[in-house]
Amino acid sequence: MHTLIRSAAALAAAGLTLAPAAASADPTPSPGATTVTKSGTSFLTATTITAGQPVQVGASTGDHLYWSFRAEAGQTHQITATVSFPKGRTGKSTWTVDVFDGLRRRQACTAGAQTPTADAAATSVTLGCTLRRVRPWAEPWSGDPLPGTYYVRLAVTELPEPDLGLPIDVDLLVGVDGEGGASGDDGKLEAPLVPNTRAGTVLTAEPAPEPVAEEKMSLTDWLPEAGSRWVWTTVGGVLAAVAGVVGFALTRRPRRP
């Protein structure tokens, strides 16, 4: 805190001021986009929408509403929804907007009121969710968002039982930042990591094989070299045989006449 105060004082002395970070702007409908007036009740029946296409549907409190949209690498999506209530509610209610990828993995929101609570006297509640930037690739164990189809689910999580089934009006819009392509945080490879500094030459003709020198054979080539293990093995065998004959001659008994 003291460091921040000193930094602000230094900037003020230099004629500068600290400006708050700019918040992401709310998405706006695309010009000429057709309004969607229906929703699905599960992942399989989710209504397909596009970024910038407004959604206006009527439903009942307690319904689970599903929509799906396509996301490309390098894009960041913002989902905003407004639920309008009728009069005569008995208590407050909590609403939630969840986003899932194609593998039904719930994606985290980096900004927006994802689970707001509306008082009994409130006539509407606004929900929002800003997703992370879609990456062109990710490790299998990570939950990073990848290109593909994403699902939006709007539902109520807590409400008094007498309010279950009351009619509601839902306005939803999906906005997008980025034109797709490579993700900004992944960078771009401008040059090869290891340049080829030893380029080869192109052969225009088949090279002739080198002549093989003929080996000359002599009469003594079959004999083992002096000092090899074959020589020592042969000498050892001969000495063992001689020792066996001498030992037998010395130890055998003389025959009687």
Side-chain angles (χ1 to χ4, degrees), residues 11-255:
L11 290 175
L16 302 175
T17 57
L18 285 173
S24 58
D26 294 335
T28 57
S30 300
T34 305
T35 302
V36 177
T37 58
K38 61 179 181 178
S39 63
T41 57
S42 65
F43 289 104
L44 298 178
T45 61
T47 301
T48 303
I49 60 176
T50 59
Q53 188 174 19
V55 177
Q56 294 179 358
V57 297
S60 299
T61 305
D63 292 343
H64 287 67
L65 310 179
Y66 287 82
W67 296 273
S68 65
F69 64 92
R70 181 74 182 179
E72 301 295 340
Q75 295 179 342
T76 302
H77 295 82
Q78 304 91 21
I79 296 96
T80 59
T82 302
V83 182
S84 301
F85 309 118
K87 297 180 180 180
R89 292 190 303 124
T90 60
K92 59 183 180 180
S93 57
T94 301
W95 296 77
T96 180
V97 56
D98 298 316
V99 183
F100 303 85
D101 61 5
L103 299 178
R104 309 299 192 268
R105 299 181 302 180
R106 185 175 179 271
Q107 293 296 315
C109 299
T110 60
Q114 188 178 4
T115 56
T117 300
D119 296 332
T123 58
S124 64
V125 62
T126 301
L127 302 90
C129 176
T130 300
L131 298 177
R132 294 174 294 172
R133 185 181 298 273
V134 180
R135 295 171 55 90
W137 68 274
E139 297 293 343
W141 47 262
S142 69
D144 294 338
L146 293 173
T149 301
Y150 284 72
Y151 299 88
V152 180
R153 182 179 66 188
L154 179 66
V156 61
T157 58
E158 296 180 4
L159 81 161
E161 187 174 356
D163 295 342
L164 187 64
L166 293 178
I168 57 174
D169 294 326
V170 177
D171 294 333
L172 184 135
L173 183 64
V174 177
V176 61
D177 290 336
E179 299 298 333
S183 178
D185 53 5
D186 288 333
K188 182 181 179 181
L189 187 62
E190 296 291 347
L193 298 179
V194 180
N196 187 7
T197 58
R198 296 182 179 179
T201 57
V202 179
L203 300 178
T204 58
E206 184 178 357
E210 297 180 359
V212 180
E214 297 182 0
E215 297 182 359
K216 296 182 180 180
M217 300 293 294
S218 61
L219 297 178
T220 59
D221 288 343
W222 62 273
L223 295 175
E225 297 180 0
S228 64
R229 64 186 184 92
W230 296 106
V231 174
W232 290 108
T233 302
T234 304
V235 173
V238 172
L239 293 178
V242 173
V245 173
V246 173
F248 176 77
L250 295 176
T251 56
R252 75 182 183 91
R253 294 179 180 180
R255 295 181 179 180

Side-chain angles (χ1 to χ4, degrees), residues 2-21:
H2 295 288
T3 303
L4 181 59
I5 294 175
R6 289 195 298 267
S7 300
L11 290 175
L16 302 175
T17 57
L18 285 173

